[in-house]
Amino acid sequence: MADWWDADGRRHRKQFATSAAAREHEHRETALAHAERASREMKLAARTSGVKRSSSKRETGAIEPAKGKLGVMIPGMGAVATTFVAGVEAIRKGLAKPIGSLTQMGTVRLGKRTDARSPKVKEFVPLAGLDDLVFTGWDIFEDNMYEAASNAGVLDYRLLEQLKPFLSSVTPRAAVFDHNYVKKIDGPNVKKDKTKMDLAEQLRDDIRDFRKTSGASRLITMWCGSTESYIEPTEAHQSVKSFEKALKENDEMIAPSMIYAYASLMEGVPFANGAPNLTVDLPVMLELSRKNEAPICGKDFKTGQTLMKTVLAPAFKARLLGLSGWYSTNILGNRDGEVLDDPGSFKTKEESKLGVLEHILQPALYPDLYGNIFHKVRINYYPPRGDNKEGWDNIDIFGWLGYPMQIKVDFLCRDSILAAPIVLDLVLFLDLAKRCSELRGLGIQEWLSFYFKSPMTAPGLYPEHDLFIQLMKLKNTLRHLKGEELITHLGLEYYD
Ligand SMILES: NC(=O)c1ccc[n+]([C@@H]2O[C@H](COP(=O)([O-])OP(=O)(O)OC[C@H]3O[C@@H](n4cnc5c(N)ncnc54)[C@H](O)[C@@H]3O)[C@@H](O)[C@H]2O)c1
């Protein structure tokens, strides 16, 4: 017996041979329901298209100004975290530009194409300025940010030398860690206590301490810690009550990342999850997030190979080109690669990477094109490459009359260079969500799907993976918050 959820969020129970069969059934049912709904909405739109919309602007949720400092708290001060913090400092000092950051370099078109109104995102909505960011973190190693960044080997030492005084001042707090969840590493800087609830209390003390000592008016927690072993939700994760009981009983199904998430949400602090762990993707966290108005989002930064997948797959579907196989392999030699060498951590990552194609290509709607895809993802730890990953894809597609073709993508990328601007945008947007009356009580911030491999959605909703739909959703959310007309790209009015 397994549960599945329909497109309206209703839960059903049915007998399935395997959990994959249950998932497949859910996707098919959801896809069909969405197709039917879309067709109903199109008919309705056609009937009501003569109704003129009010052109008066309406500010939707009130947004409090970004006054004072914004404290960024990072569990996991490794390659991604240090590249992000060092980058922010380098940009503040005028040494580099925030390439890759939508909040810093992106624009948002308002009104008609002929209006020529395209302000920068950071000028359109009130975001914290980079000068207002202050940082702290937790790690199982005692290295400060300068030492950790040097070890990570992502940034040039000449740049790091210029940032040394600042980076050295960010030292790690003792971590909540469980070797069973990250088998390939161990370190000395770890909190000890009787129960997991006591550990959560220690983290809450850290958060209050940072709030006081940094003088920050608002805080954000950003998980940049290692990928934890794969687990599935249990009874302990279903409500705040059962989770707190499990914390007190040292339930082994509570991973360290969940303890950070619990502590943050209890303190009313928004939480973003950059790794593929469950962490906030659990009913207990959704309940806490909504109750304490602390927005959540995740999971797993969409950086290299999956970014490419969510650009290419929508193109195949748009042109109705079939797909018979997609083989993706990666070699990387950083600590993340070492951690992912453990089968438990790899399984967590694999699940996150595999879901993408199925959701974009909708095999239930296009069985002739996508009904029989062989999709394989591999990650190999290969130390000589360090943080400079190679993501290699072989894609077997077919066209007119079924004739086969191949595409090869070889992405020689830099993992943390791609991840750092995502961290910055998430920090600033989550802080915006917390200051916005319409968003802060929603729990999951689906409009931030753009940044994730495995975006969180309301129960029963399938995630939107297509990068361009995600971007449109994000920008339309900003337009909506500011009472601007949403952009549909219909454009008939230009031909009146
Ligand atoms: N492009 C990318 O780099 C990318 C993309 C998607 C997801 N991610 C995920 O982001 C995370 C960070 O990646 P990274 O390259 O910086 O890895 P990293 O190994 O360099 O850094 C992770 C750090 O987390 C620390 N850590 C582990 N468990 C901890 C705990 N319980 N509390 C505090 N610290 C803990 C480790 O000691 C390490 O310093 C990983 O989970 C990775 O899978 C990275």
Side-chain angles (χ1 to χ4, degrees):
M1 274 304 203
D3 290 339
W4 66 276
W5 281 261
D6 68 21
D8 296 316
R10 283 187 300 260
R11 191 185 201 154
H12 302 269
R13 189 141 265 223
K14 198 170 165 354
Q15 189 82 46
F16 294 102
T18 60
S19 62
R23 246 191 358 246
E24 173 61 29
H25 179 78
E26 183 175 316
H27 292 154
R28 193 173 311 124
E29 291 289 327
T30 311
L32 286 174
H34 279 274
E36 278 167 18
R37 187 174 301 164
S39 134
R40 277 199 309 275
E41 281 169 7
M42 297 261 291
K43 283 185 196 140
L44 187 68
R47 281 207 299 275
T48 55
S49 58
V51 180
K52 208 164 168 54
R53 259 197 245 135
S54 155
S55 62
S56 71
K57 280 213 260 160
R58 177 179 53 92
E59 286 255 352
T60 338
I63 309 176
E64 292 156 17
K67 270 218 295 267
K69 290 186 200 158
L70 173 61
V72 185
M73 305 187 293
I74 315 178
M77 288 172 38
V80 170
T82 54
T83 307
F84 157 63
V85 175
V88 168
E89 182 63 0
I91 294 157
R92 297 200 280 219
K93 282 176 162 292
L95 301 171
K97 296 242 182 305
I99 315 277
S101 161
L102 180 69
T103 58
Q104 304 305 299
M105 302 192 100
T107 60
V108 51
R109 187 190 116 196
L110 304 176
K112 302 201 183 330
R113 268 184 273 166
T114 43
D115 290 353
R117 290 167 67 213
S118 290
K120 283 199 162 168
V121 169
K122 65 178 180 182
E123 286 152 10
F124 180 52
V125 283
L127 298 177
L130 297 195
D131 286 338
D132 291 329
L133 299 187
V134 286
F135 305 94
T136 191
W138 293 267
D139 207 288
I140 64 170
F141 299 108
E142 284 159 343
D143 299 340
N144 63 43
M145 279 253 170
Y146 171 77
E147 292 159 337
S150 305
N151 291 339
V154 177
L155 299 176
D156 190 278
Y157 78 93
R158 283 165 299 193
L159 177 65
L160 287 181
E161 285 310 306
Q162 296 180 73
L163 310 172
K164 187 171 179 179
F166 171 75
L167 290 176
S168 306
S169 72
V170 187
T171 51
R173 294 164 191 270
V176 170
F177 185 68
D178 180 348
H179 184 65
N180 288 325
Y181 275 93
V182 189
K183 297 221 167 59
K184 293 277 176 176
I185 55 172
D186 225 336
N189 194 29
V190 173
K191 292 188 198 306
K192 301 256 177 309
D193 221 323
K194 283 200 287 298
T195 69
K196 292 188 174 182
M197 182 56 105
D198 296 320
L199 292 171
E201 286 304 329
Q202 286 199 41
L203 287 176
R204 293 183 68 179
D205 285 344
D206 285 349
I207 295 173
R208 289 185 210 121
D209 173 71
F210 178 59
R211 196 191 290 274
K212 210 160 90 201
T213 53
S214 68
S217 59
R218 288 128 33 230
L219 300 175
I220 294 291
T221 308
M222 178 81 234
W223 176 266
C224 291
S226 308
T227 300
E228 296 173 329
S229 268
Y230 182 79
I231 52 169
E232 294 201 349
T234 65
E235 200 44 48
H237 307 115
Q238 300 308 312
S239 68
V240 176
K241 202 163 153 229
S242 57
F243 189 80
E244 289 181 340
K245 180 166 172 285
L247 277 174
K248 288 180 193 143
E249 291 170 355
N250 280 332
D251 188 326
E252 61 180 17
M253 297 308 279
I254 297 189
S257 65
M258 297 174 194
I259 306 179
Y260 286 94
Y262 171 81
S264 298
L265 300 178
M266 286 298 283
E267 292 297 316
V269 176
F271 191 102
N273 180 16
N277 328 314
L278 284 178
T279 314
V280 277
D281 210 347
L282 296 167
V284 45
M285 302 302 173
L286 183 54
E287 186 185 334
L288 263 186
S289 161
R290 293 175 74 113
K291 185 165 147 244
N292 295 347
E293 301 198 315
I296 49 177
C297 63
K299 53 191 189 302
D300 205 7
F301 302 129
K302 176 151 85 177
T303 47
Q305 194 166 57
T306 310
L307 175 70
M308 292 298 140
K309 235 172 227 178
T310 60
V311 170
L312 289 173
F316 301 152
K317 192 170 86 173
R319 285 296 167 97
L320 299 163
L321 293 169
L323 181 73
S324 53
W326 198 314
Y327 182 86
S328 301
T329 190
N330 297 271
I331 51 176
L332 77 163
N334 58 13
R335 192 183 283 151
D336 186 29
E338 190 181 354
V339 166
L340 292 173
D341 217 26
D342 170 66
S345 294
F346 173 67
K347 170 115 175 89
T348 312
K349 191 61 119 182
E350 189 187 26
E351 285 283 313
S352 167
K353 280 177 164 258
L354 281 178
V356 167
L357 283 187
E358 210 173 313
H359 284 117
I360 293 179
L361 297 175
Q362 297 177 295
L365 291 182
Y366 304 94
D368 290 338
L369 300 175
Y370 310 119
N372 188 20
I373 301 170
F374 190 91
H375 186 196
K376 184 85 195 157
V377 176
R378 299 194 61 92
I379 299 177
N380 298 297
Y381 177 50
Y382 179 61
R385 279 300 165 86
D387 200 64
N388 297 347
K389 183 163 85 178
E390 181 159 1
W392 187 87
D393 286 273
N394 172 74
I395 312 161
D396 286 291
I397 63 170
F398 53 92
W400 185 242
L401 312 179
Y403 277 73
M405 294 170 262
Q406 288 184 25
I407 300 172
K408 316 275 181 193
V409 180
D410 192 2
F411 191 3
L412 301 165
C413 65
R414 292 173 188 266
D415 248 11
S416 305
I417 293 294
L418 292 168
I422 294 183
V423 177
L424 174 61
D425 285 357
L426 286 171
V427 162
L428 299 184
F429 279 144
L430 264 192
D431 172 51
L432 174 75
K434 172 80 182 174
R435 285 181 283 109
C436 175
S437 62
E438 197 179 358
L439 298 180
R440 68 173 150 245
L442 291 185
I444 298 165
Q445 305 293 311
E446 200 199 318
W447 61 287
L448 298 175
S449 300
F450 179 63
Y451 295 106
F452 295 110
K453 273 195 203 61
S454 196
M456 286 170 65
T457 55
L461 262 191
Y462 70 83
E464 202 52 83
H465 282 288
D466 176 329
L467 187 80
F468 300 104
I469 295 181
Q470 292 173 331
L471 180 63
M472 182 139 57
K473 187 191 268 293
L474 191 159
K475 289 192 175 179
N476 269 342
T477 303
L478 300 180
R479 292 182 186 108
H480 168 76
L481 293 178
K482 295 288 289 178
E484 289 284 343
E485 199 79 33
L486 303 190
I487 291 195
T488 61
H489 299 287
L490 181 64
L492 291 181
E493 68 275 22
Y494 299 118
Y495 298 90
D496 270 353

